[in-house]
Amino acid sequence: MNEILLKYASPFDTKISELIDQLDSFQERLYPSESNHLEEREAMAKSNFKLIAAYIDNEPVGIGGVKLEQNFGELKRFFISESYRKSGIANSIIITLENWLVHNKINCCYLETGIKQSEAINFYRNFGYSNCDPFGSYKEDSLSIFMTKEIDLKNYSPLFDLSDYYLVVFTSKLKEGITSE
């Protein structure tokens, strides 16, 4: 069993920046620039954005963020290194981000993803997200899927207390050399 260490991350950290670059490259191969809604590093460094990185053996292997708007959160910049996909890391990150929303008394979460990312779409559906209309400043885009999830704050039990300096450790069934299917 390996441990997944989750902690707040800076988009300017060299290794985190490499993951962001991999995500950008992946998105740019799939979609034209007008359909890529990439959050800039400067925006990810603001106080209304929390970026979480997953580490295994002190190496970042995944990231995910949530941006707080006036009355909702938006999941952004989800990316897991290919060799660690389907290992529980994305689950750990989304649970942590949803807990952060609950901690901030936000009961609605949105996201935008691309139509060519069926694994991501299925992942979000498995976590209770459903299709919705464009939200916030997004416009209708034939290459985008918009999703939302209502979080019942009264019946949601946060898994842990959050602070600006916390670390979360999840235990996963990671195996040496695991690869995506």
Side-chain angles (χ1 to χ4, degrees), residues 82-99:
E82 192 169 343
S83 60
Y84 288 97
R85 292 183 186 158
K86 298 184 180 186
S87 66
I89 292 171
N91 297 5
S92 302
I93 291 173
I94 200 168
I95 289 167
T96 303
L97 294 173
E98 286 182 355
N99 271 269

Side-chain angles (χ1 to χ4, degrees), residues 17-120:
S17 192
E18 289 172 7
L19 285 176
I20 294 168
D21 290 343
Q22 288 176 40
L23 172 59
D24 290 351
S25 179
F26 174 76
Q27 297 286 72
E28 290 164 357
R29 285 192 308 272
L30 293 176
Y31 307 105
S33 60
E34 63 272 8
S35 292
N36 267 321
H37 308 285
L38 309 175
E39 197 78 8
E40 297 296 327
R41 286 171 176 80
E42 291 75 18
M44 290 189 281
K46 291 184 179 180
S47 63
N48 70 327
F49 196 99
K50 288 295 179 194
L51 182 66
I52 301 291
Y55 291 81
I56 295 178
D57 299 328
N58 294 318
E59 288 296 318
V61 297
I63 55 173
V66 65
K67 180 179 179 181
L68 280 183
E69 297 291 352
Q70 284 187 341
N71 59 352
F72 66 89
E74 180 185 0
L75 293 181
K76 302 284 290 181
R77 301 309 228 148
F78 245 79
F79 182 76
I80 308 301
S81 296
E82 192 169 343
S83 60
Y84 288 97
R85 292 183 186 158
K86 298 184 180 186
S87 66
I89 292 171
N91 297 5
S92 302
I93 291 173
I94 200 168
I95 289 167
T96 303
L97 294 173
E98 286 182 355
N99 271 269
W100 191 72
L101 290 173
V102 169
H103 180 77
N104 285 280
K105 297 179 179 27
I106 301 293
N107 71 336
C108 186
C109 189
Y110 289 95
L111 64 92
E112 178 274 337
T113 192
I115 63 169
K116 298 177 182 179
Q117 294 167 262
S118 59
E119 286 184 15

